[in-house]
Amino acid sequence: MSQWLTLVARNVLRHRLRTSLTLVGLVVAILAFGVLQTVVKTWYAGVDGAVPSRLLTRNAISFALPLPKSYQKRISAVEGVRRVTHLSWFGGIYKDSKNFFPQFAIDAASYLDMFPELLVPDEVRRAFLRERRGAIVGRKLAKRYGFKPGDVIQLRGTIFPGNWEFLICGVFDGRDPKTDTSQLFFRWDYLNETLRVRSKAQADQVGVFAVDVVSLDSVADVSQAIDEVFRNSLAETLTETERAFQIGFVKQTEAILISIRVVSFVVIFIILAVMANTMAMTARERLREYATLKAIGFSPGYVARLILAESVLIASIGGAIGIALTPPVAARLAELSATLFPTLFVSINTVMLQALAAVVVGVLAAVLPMRRAARVSIVDGLRALG
């Protein structure tokens, strides 16, 4: 067995330049496949992280339109509702329009209770609840702009007029790598009190209500009951699960996601063609050697296994290097495109897909050379030019 493995390794190293170039192509292909798959999965991160028992109630016409804050009490009174909170998209600009990051006005205490995936230290939470202009920022956002507790930052309102100052009370972390920590949260009461002075028409309104239901079995009934309460009102509601709400966002860019997914598999197909060509050249050059092996008693299966092992070994080495490079490349890409991809986490499923792709490429690339080498007769093989 050890002699067979030694023979396979020597065959791999026989044409080092060709093997090296093939390896480079494999590394790039497996790396590109992994990064593209990670981008697609990141796009669905909000869907995967959705809590089944949480509902989101928004304006039935568009989520860009607000709802009266007074709806909160009526939603809370619906049977099956455990608690209700709200959030509003702020859309401010920090220094320059290219410095985009999500900003939400929230009902601080109830929101943090309902979203435990945001890990806020107790002292930060107390400071946030105490300071009317207070804000908390995610770890990634704080790192990106150097925000630290005690800093006062100013945002220029686009939806809500004027300049807005916020006091950074602290930094929160995510419960897992999929949690978005590129966000800023501040108190809705600060926003609302200011709007009553600057723009009364925008006061006492919120963007979305988040509803926690008592039982998963009652999610559908509670959704219908909430919407029924506001039927034929000036602002009818649409209540859906958090997962459905997130899917609605993803659907808007589904064509792009499908394109990315297709490109990732095209990359694998291309490297399969390159690998198959490499193994075909290798087998053609060694037909005389294979004929000699058969002449001294080795079976056609033995010859075929030599080619298969060489192909899988090259694919495995290239795949392993590509897989190892994927997390740092994804992390670097996340830094460069922080506004587009708040998190780029390489999942274990992506790694397994990369490994499977490498093995499949190695096996399929060897099929035709194996068949030819196994079927060639000793006479024809010895006649072949080496």
Side-chain angles (χ1 to χ4, degrees):
M1 185 65 179
S2 61
Q3 291 180 343
W4 184 78
L5 292 175
T6 302
L7 180 59
V8 171
R10 287 183 176 176
N11 282 339
V12 169
L13 297 174
R14 189 180 296 186
H15 294 282
R16 296 189 179 188
L17 178 60
R18 182 193 299 168
T19 302
S20 299
L21 293 176
T22 305
L23 277 175
V24 170
L26 277 162
V27 170
V28 172
I30 297 299
L31 174 62
F33 178 74
V35 171
L36 292 174
Q37 288 293 324
T38 299
V39 167
V40 173
K41 288 186 179 298
T42 299
W43 217 274
Y44 282 95
V47 178
D48 296 336
V51 176
S53 63
R54 278 204 303 245
L55 300 175
L56 295 177
T57 300
R58 62 176 177 86
N59 192 300
I61 298 175
S62 169
F63 59 78
L65 297 177
L67 291 171
K69 169 66 170 58
S70 59
Y71 278 18
Q72 184 168 358
K73 285 186 178 179
R74 299 173 68 183
I75 295 174
S76 300
V78 173
E79 185 177 356
V81 172
R82 177 186 288 127
R83 51 189 173 178
V84 182
T85 188
H86 58 81
L87 68 160
S88 302
W89 175 259
F90 184 70
I93 295 174
Y94 177 63
K95 295 183 179 179
D96 190 278
S97 57
K98 66 181 181 181
N99 298 329
F100 171 81
F101 55 87
Q103 309 132 18
F104 294 96
I106 61 172
D107 181 44
S110 61
Y111 188 89
L112 295 180
D113 287 341
M114 197 182 293
F115 289 80
E117 60 266 37
L118 305 178
L119 303 181
V120 183
D122 290 341
E123 63 276 16
V124 174
R125 181 188 174 103
R126 287 194 293 270
F128 186 36
L129 296 177
R130 188 171 57 246
E131 174 59 46
R132 183 59 59 95
R133 295 182 305 149
I136 55 174
V137 294
R139 180 70 60 187
K140 187 173 182 179
L141 182 63
K143 182 180 178 182
R144 181 180 171 193
Y145 292 109
F147 295 154
K148 58 184 183 300
D151 287 351
V152 176
I153 65 171
Q154 187 179 80
L155 300 179
R156 186 171 76 252
T158 55
I159 301 173
F160 306 102
N163 294 322
W164 301 75
E165 287 190 346
F166 302 100
L167 173 66
I168 303 299
C169 296
V171 179
F172 66 86
D173 291 294
R175 185 173 54 189
D176 56 56
K178 295 180 180 178
T179 304
D180 184 5
T181 59
S182 66
Q183 306 175 86
L184 177 146
F185 295 103
F186 66 94
R187 293 176 50 162
W188 176 83
D189 49 0
Y190 168 55
L191 171 71
N192 195 53
E193 289 174 2
T194 308
L195 286 175
R196 284 177 177 172
V197 177
R198 297 182 184 177
S199 177
K200 289 185 178 180
Q202 292 180 293
D204 298 318
Q205 295 180 336
V206 300
V208 176
F209 290 102
V211 182
D212 186 23
V213 300
V214 174
S215 169
L216 283 178
D217 297 332
S218 62
V219 165
D221 294 336
V222 172
S223 299
Q224 293 179 1
I226 292 174
D227 292 340
E228 191 62 33
V229 170
F230 304 106
R231 189 175 300 281
N232 296 323
S233 66
L234 291 177
E236 293 190 356
T237 61
L238 174 62
T239 303
E240 53 194 349
T241 62
E242 187 178 350
R243 180 180 178 81
F245 186 83
Q246 297 287 353
I247 289 177
F249 274 106
V250 174
K251 285 287 185 184
Q252 297 177 24
T253 56
E254 191 173 27
I256 298 175
L257 295 181
I258 292 175
S259 301
I260 294 174
R261 201 184 291 272
V262 169
V263 168
S264 70
F265 285 102
V266 168
V267 170
I268 294 300
F269 180 78
I270 292 173
I271 195 58
L272 170 61
V274 173
M275 185 73 184
N277 183 59
T278 299
M279 294 312 300
M281 291 173 61
T282 300
R284 186 172 61 248
E285 292 170 357
R286 298 176 189 166
L287 278 182
R288 183 179 295 178
E289 298 175 26
Y290 298 147
T292 303
L293 288 173
K294 289 181 182 178
I296 61 177
F298 289 97
S299 67
Y302 180 89
V303 173
R305 286 195 296 274
L306 275 179
I307 298 173
L308 176 64
E310 182 178 346
S311 179
V312 171
L313 180 59
I314 294 174
S316 299
I317 294 173
I321 298 173
I323 291 171
L325 290 176
T326 302
V329 171
R332 180 59 179 158
L333 179 61
E335 289 180 7
L336 296 175
S337 58
T339 58
L340 190 60
F341 302 112
T343 61
L344 269 180
F345 174 70
V346 182
S347 69
I348 186 64
N349 288 339
T350 299
V351 173
M352 292 175 67
L353 270 177
Q354 288 177 287
L356 179 63
V359 173
V360 168
V361 166
V363 172
L364 292 182
V367 169
L368 292 180
M370 286 168 57
R371 185 170 177 269
R372 185 182 182 192
R375 289 188 173 186
V376 69
S377 66
I378 295 175
V379 174
D380 290 340
L382 292 175
R383 286 177 179 169
L385 296 175

